[in-house]
Amino acid sequence: MVGIILASHGDFANGILQSGEMIFGKQENVRAVILMPSEGPNDIKGKMKEAIASFDNQDEVLFLVDLWGGTPFNQANGLYEEHKNKWAIVAGLNLPMLIEAFASRMSMNTAHEIAAHILNTAKEGINLLPEELQPKTPEPATAAAKPSNAGAPGKFKYVLARIDSRLLHGQVATSWTKTTNPTRIIVVSDVVAKDELRKKLIQQAAPPGVKAHVVPIHKMIELAKDDQHFGGQRALLLFENPQDVLRAVEGGVPLETINVGSMAHSTGKVQPNKTLAFNQDDINTFIELKKLGLKFDVRKVPGDSKDNMDEILKRAQAEIKKRS
């Protein structure tokens, strides 16, 4: 696996590593190296050497640095000179770049490949509101229209169905999208479908190249039965709670596995693990889903190990009984 060094002036590298792992999951062979105000070039160079020595594979190293021409860049460049046929440096570190680098290590084996690949994502991650402030880039007159399979005969292919009380957020828009490669993200919720502000925010949170939609449950059931317009479309479905999943499945949405990622705690609920909270209705609903043949994939992010849903439900049920 390619080793990654995050290098910065001050604690920026530590902070962005924490943010990246919060979204994508804990990473191996990644080190943050920082230059403090009281330190000089040799200090950060020594830290970089120590970080490289800790990697499983020291032949493939990617430096992600904060500023081109700054001391972290210059010291990384000095080390890179002796390994330029293998190592790589990318400056202008931002969170989309880092997450893309994490994802790329799953399929790319060289620092050069990853460095070339992450540039577009880093640039696309820079955006602004209001949209009218965005510079207009005219399309070349000779540019051909991008081919689309929208409207082709066939049904959706479901690449992920997830229960997450936060719906479309960083972990979904980055790590799960990179893993499942959907063409559409569909939030299935009667409540959210009536909330114009939440709908707009969800549509704006869609990652580049993926369309985000919000539909009520009855509409999702209709879409699932449509075999004339969704050929080639890969759908990632998001639900706020298991009750909405049960209604969708009973109505005919052909799901086989539910990723259970996050269920927020609220009054009256018990919390058998760090990310999931249940009341009795939630427990009963999961039991009904199991009776319908659904399997449960209990993970916050793709890199997490899977938890046992049966054991989680047992602990939740025992905690509820204690309180009654």
Side-chain angles (χ1 to χ4, degrees):
M1 178 178 284
V2 174
I4 298 176
I5 291 179
L6 312 178
S8 72
H9 298 78
D11 266 333
F12 173 59
N14 283 329
I16 200 169
L17 175 57
Q18 182 183 52
S19 297
E21 290 188 331
M22 181 178 176
I23 291 170
F24 205 83
K26 188 69 177 174
Q27 297 292 303
E28 297 180 354
N29 295 301
V30 178
R31 290 281 298 273
V33 174
I34 63 173
L35 175 68
M36 298 305 292
S38 60
E39 296 178 327
N42 288 335
D43 295 302
I44 193 168
K45 186 176 183 178
K47 293 178 185 179
M48 288 176 175
K49 288 182 176 180
E50 180 184 349
I52 293 166
S54 72
F55 291 159
D56 296 338
N57 179 8
Q58 297 169 27
D59 292 329
E60 296 288 346
V61 178
L62 174 63
F63 293 88
L64 303 181
V65 303
D66 57 353
L67 184 66
W68 186 277
T71 298
F73 169 83
N74 291 336
Q75 295 309 305
N77 195 26
L79 298 173
Y80 156 83
E81 281 297 321
E82 297 180 5
H83 304 271
K84 58 174 62 177
N85 62 322
K86 290 277 192 178
W87 294 6
I89 305 174
V90 182
L93 173 60
N94 63 16
L95 192 53
M97 176 197 293
L98 179 59
I99 292 168
E100 187 69 24
F102 287 167
S104 299
R105 295 199 302 169
M106 297 178 180
S107 58
M108 298 180 182
N109 299 317
T110 72
H112 284 187
E113 283 182 289
I114 296 172
H117 178 71
I118 63 179
L119 281 181
N120 281 340
T121 300
K123 294 174 183 177
E124 290 172 351
I126 301 171
N127 219 319
L128 59 84
L129 290 174
E131 293 177 354
E132 56 265 27
L133 299 180
Q134 185 78 22
K136 304 298 181 185
T137 304
E139 292 290 333
T142 57
K146 184 178 179 181
S148 172
N149 58 3
K155 293 185 176 183
F156 280 122
K157 177 178 180 181
Y158 300 96
V159 296
L160 182 74
R162 176 178 171 89
I163 297 173
D164 191 328
S165 55
R166 294 179 292 172
L167 295 172
L168 181 51
H169 58 96
Q171 291 168 348
V172 175
T174 54
S175 58
W176 283 110
T177 299
K178 299 295 182 188
T179 303
T180 60
N181 193 30
T183 58
R184 297 171 185 253
I185 295 174
I186 306 175
V187 170
V188 185
S189 169
D190 291 348
V191 174
V192 182
K194 297 175 183 177
D195 190 327
E196 291 301 322
L197 178 58
R198 290 184 72 185
K199 285 170 63 175
K200 183 176 181 179
L201 292 174
I202 286 167
Q203 289 165 352
Q204 291 175 341
V210 182
K211 293 182 178 180
H213 312 270
V214 179
V215 299
I217 297 168
H218 77 271
K219 184 63 176 179
M220 188 65 235
I221 293 169
E222 292 177 10
L223 295 175
K225 296 175 181 178
D226 187 334
D227 60 2
Q228 296 300 312
H229 301 99
F230 300 113
Q233 296 294 308
R234 298 166 57 83
L236 188 162
L237 306 188
L238 296 174
F239 298 88
E240 280 191 292
N241 55 64
Q243 290 80 10
D244 286 352
V245 177
L246 181 59
R247 287 178 56 198
V249 171
E250 289 178 334
V253 180
L255 303 178
E256 297 178 357
T257 301
I258 298 295
N259 168 238
V260 187
S262 173
M263 292 175 60
H265 187 272
S266 60
T267 303
K269 290 196 173 190
V270 299
Q271 193 164 357
N273 74 2
K274 292 182 179 179
T275 59
L276 304 179
F278 303 86
N279 58 26
Q280 189 62 56
D281 185 37
D282 295 326
I283 294 172
N284 295 341
T285 302
F286 278 114
I287 292 172
E288 288 301 313
L289 288 168
K290 185 176 182 180
K291 288 179 181 177
L292 291 173
L294 272 77
K295 299 176 181 177
F296 304 117
D297 171 14
V298 186
R299 285 183 294 171
K300 185 170 64 173
V301 293
D304 288 347
S305 58
K306 297 182 182 181
D307 285 339
N308 186 304
M309 191 61 166
D310 289 336
E311 291 300 319
I312 291 173
L313 292 175
K314 285 180 183 177
R315 293 199 298 270
Q317 186 69 75
E319 184 63 29
I320 288 175
K321 285 184 178 179
K322 276 185 189 178
R323 293 186 179 186
S324 60

